[in-house]
Amino acid sequence: MGKRSVQLDELISQEYRHGFYTPLDVDDVPRGLSEDVIRVISAKKQEPAFMLEWRLKAFRHWLTMTEPHWATVHHPPIDYQDIVYYSAPRGKADGPQSLAEVDPELLRTYEKLGVPLQERELLAGVAVDAVFDSVSVATTFKEKLGELGIIFCSFSEAVRNHPDLVQEYLGSVVPYTDNFFATLNSAVFSDGSFCYIPPGVRCPMELSTYFRINARNTGQFERTLIIADRGAYVSYLEGCTAPMRDENQLHAAVVELIAREGAQIKYSTVQNWYPGDKDGKGGIYNFVTKRGDCREANSKISWTQVETGSAITWKYPSVILRGDNSVGEFHSVALTNHWQQADTGTKMIHLGRNTRSTILSKGISAGHGSNAYRGLVKVAKSAAGARNYTQCDSLLLGDRCAAHTFPYIEVKNPTARVEHEASTSRIGEDQLFYCQSRGISAEDAVSLIVSGFCKEVFRQLPMEFAVEAQKLLGVSLEGSIG
Amino acid sequence: MLEIRNLHVTVDDKPILRGLDLEVRAGEVHAIMGPNGSGKSTLAYVLAGREGYVVTQGEIRYMGRDLLALAPEERAREGIFLAFQYPVEIPGVANVYLLKAALNAMRRHRGESELDAVDFLALVKGKLKLMDMDEALLYRAVNEGFSGGEKKRNEILQMAVLEPRLAILDETDSGLDIDALKVVANGVNAMRSPERAMILVTHYQRLLDYIRPDRVHVLALGRIALSGGPDLAQDLERRGYGWVEAEAQKRHAASAGGPG
């Protein structure tokens, strides 16, 4: 067993491939957080007064809050005054107007990451918004989308060019008082993506945001706001990476989704922030609030996430099922290796009649990784005929990792039907040997078993992303068995 | 094809095989019999390369090569196949997917092109008929929720698809009713060929009513205590293993103190 564990470790220990740093001249603010810093950020972004007001309200509220500690994650105290809250490649504080204005060094960075920003090189059908540290550096296919009335731009641009939409929807799903990290984000968020799909429009391409943290000691606080108006449809992808650093970096994002009558939003994430090294040094603290609001009848929001990175992941993409007959879905694969910790899951809040939700969570733990599913299914008194199906499966590699499941179920309406299934299994020596005796190497056997375990979730991802996710999972587990 | 000389194997530092010799030539079917705990399954696992089975002395040559130098998957790709006594369940992985991955790993090893889904399915469906198995089993997770008989038949199906040079069947007859036993035996018999050798590890003579071996060996105290033709199995069925063990004990006592 001892020997096998060593081999397991080897297969798990694969180097992080996006860990490089791009030396760039940056425009940043001094470390620490104060009203002055917030005013500086707001000024740099030339924001209207309502935005600054909102930030300051959030900041004042944040001062009254304390960091939450209920999750099954452990980390040394975070010094919020030791973080740089704004960092932008110099000269681009308000974002470049076209790709031609983007620093070539930056374009090369994204190329290295496999995210080409040149529109002609793009995979057909994916429009990209790239967020580098604190600002959005490029958004592609803007004009083409514009013809359909779709707005897809950086958040800063939206604040300047579409203030009415921003003012109407910002904080309407995740209010600035929501929780410690979301409130911090509301005070200091520097950029992110904004998307509006007008009534009856089916967005013809996948929209995607690619986040990268580059600068040292910088927190990334982006904010994404997606509105699908009546009968609209959009599929949105999000990818993330960061350089390898010994110190931990904070990433506290907020994503708000609003689906109006009959609208559909499909939000997919492949999160591959730097997870720290194999001894647990460094890595991103990924403390994220994601929530969707099925605001009107017959709307649908589905979250699909593949979480392989970050030292700590703390996120619960949720759906408020407000409209009658609305549908919420959560599909998740979370992998923790080495010393990574994940506490992730979802909340399905059933308010409307005949609302339905599905939760499918797959946790994989390897090395000393710890993986918790935490989910709330709440059926309000008003939600007659609500239905939920939850399935949580855990897969363990080796004998030093951990898996936990915390399902919370609150049902206030007797006509509701809520089902919960859970399982835990382990990739055993006997399974590996069985595959090996059929000519399949141990590494291939692990990836065979892991992809079998995840396939229901991968099926939910857009094709290109599914391939990427599968590869990522293989890489994240490589070296765990020799 | 296979030459085993003076093989000593320990498991958890406990000696299990103590000087086993065996030679198997292409085209032959050998039965290894013996009481529980005599080391039959150990022999099967050592040949397949299972971890924890430590060879302390002796050698195994396969197709003229040192078998012990090869990793389990390399042995498989070189044509060694072990049908497990207790086939392992792999939830979430479709049976057909494992089969395809295995076959293509071997084809790659032999420098052949991988089979695509269409050709592969055509191949597998032919083999399914041979094993009298329902196509639905292909799409269920590997061995998960299979009955005992289905698991054993699935092992033989894999063997039929992978077409090994040397097949080792570890207690494939245990837990089978008579109909399943016949199906398995038919599958095995259909695979007999001048290029292929088989080792049947079995406790009972029953399987040998359907698969007639060329040689029968009795394991006792970690070595081959007795070898003979197919009739030996019937002798054993009549007289039990006690007398073979007793004689092995005597020989062991006589040689104690001598070079091991």
Side-chain angles (χ1 to χ4, degrees), chain A residues 125-142:
Chain A
V126 183
V128 182
D129 183 27
V131 176
F132 196 84
D133 288 337
S134 301
V135 294
S136 168
V137 293
T139 307
T140 60
F141 284 109
K142 244 190 236 179

Side-chain angles (χ1 to χ4, degrees), chain A residues 3-4 7 429-431 433-442 444 448-449 451-453 455, chain B residues 50-51 72-73 76-77 81-82 84 88-93 97-98 102 105-106 143 155 158:
Chain A
K3 190 171 176 196
R4 171 63 65 188
Q7 292 183 323
E429 226 181 300
D430 50 346
Q431 288 176 328
F433 177 64
Y434 189 69
C435 293
Q436 285 175 289
S437 75
R438 301 302 181 247
I440 300 165
S441 70
D444 289 347
L448 194 78
I449 295 168
S451 34
F453 180 73
K455 68 174 175 234
Chain B
R50 179 156 212 162
E51 196 141 345
E73 62 268 32
R77 292 170 198 163
F81 178 88
L82 171 63
F84 281 57
V88 179
E89 299 186 2
I90 310 180
V93 177
Y97 195 56
L98 177 82
M106 297 192 188
N143 293 320
E155 294 292 290
Q158 293 179 8

Side-chain angles (χ1 to χ4, degrees), chain B residues 126-141:
Chain B
K127 306 288 183 183
L128 273 175
K129 272 205 197 89
L130 181 74
M131 289 317 302
D132 194 21
M133 279 171 74
D134 186 359
E135 205 180 315
L137 277 183
L138 287 180
Y139 302 100
R140 281 167 55 186

Side-chain angles (χ1 to χ4, degrees), chain B residues 174-202:
Chain B
S174 66
L176 290 187
D177 62 29
I178 199 75
D179 293 330
L181 184 68
K182 279 184 194 164
V183 172
V184 166
N186 286 342
V188 172
N189 283 329
M191 299 261 323
R192 285 180 86 150
S193 95
E195 291 84 42
R196 182 169 294 131
M198 295 193 195
I199 298 175
L200 311 175
V201 172
T202 179

Side-chain angles (χ1 to χ4, degrees), chain B residues 70-165:
Chain B
L70 301 179
E73 62 268 32
E74 292 169 329
R75 297 180 194 197
R77 292 170 198 163
E78 289 292 336
I80 289 186
F81 178 88
L82 171 63
F84 281 57
Q85 182 179 3
Y86 303 107
V88 179
E89 299 186 2
I90 310 180
V93 177
N95 210 19
V96 68
Y97 195 56
L98 177 82
L99 266 176
K100 187 163 174 252
L103 180 64
N104 281 333
M106 297 192 188
R107 291 182 66 95
R108 273 199 305 276
H109 179 72
R110 294 195 293 256
E112 298 166 10
S113 63
E114 295 187 19
L115 286 188
D116 63 22
V118 176
D119 292 344
F120 175 74
L121 269 183
L123 174 87
V124 171
K125 282 182 184 164
K127 306 288 183 183
L128 273 175
K129 272 205 197 89
L130 181 74
M131 289 317 302
D132 194 21
M133 279 171 74
D134 186 359
E135 205 180 315
L137 277 183
L138 287 180
Y139 302 100
R140 281 167 55 186
V142 178
N143 293 320
E144 195 185 31
F146 285 28
S147 70
E150 282 172 336
K151 282 184 182 173
K152 295 297 174 77
R153 270 190 275 177
N154 198 30
E155 294 292 290
I156 305 301
L157 172 71
Q158 293 179 8
M159 176 171 90
V161 170
L162 299 178
E163 302 187 318
R165 277 201 193 107

Side-chain angles (χ1 to χ4, degrees), chain A residues 26-102:
Chain A
V26 296
D27 174 20
D28 54 17
V29 297
R31 278 171 202 233
L33 188 54
S34 62
E35 289 207 2
D36 287 344
V37 167
I38 291 167
R39 283 176 204 281
V40 170
I41 293 174
S42 188
K44 275 183 191 294
K45 309 191 77 63
Q46 302 155 29
E47 289 177 348
F50 83 86
M51 204 59 252
L52 176 62
E53 261 328 287
W54 200 72
R55 288 175 180 278
L56 290 173
K57 274 194 287 187
F59 177 66
R60 288 169 199 145
H61 188 76
W62 183 72
L63 292 174
T64 69
M65 302 171 97
T66 49
E67 204 181 84
H69 290 287
W70 42 262
T72 48
V73 297
H74 305 279
H75 57 82
I78 299 170
D79 182 354
Y80 291 91
Q81 294 303 337
D82 195 37
I83 293 172
V84 176
Y85 285 89
Y86 182 85
S87 168
R90 183 161 314 273
K92 303 289 183 287
D94 55 349
Q97 296 312 303
S98 75
L99 276 172
E101 284 179 36
V102 176

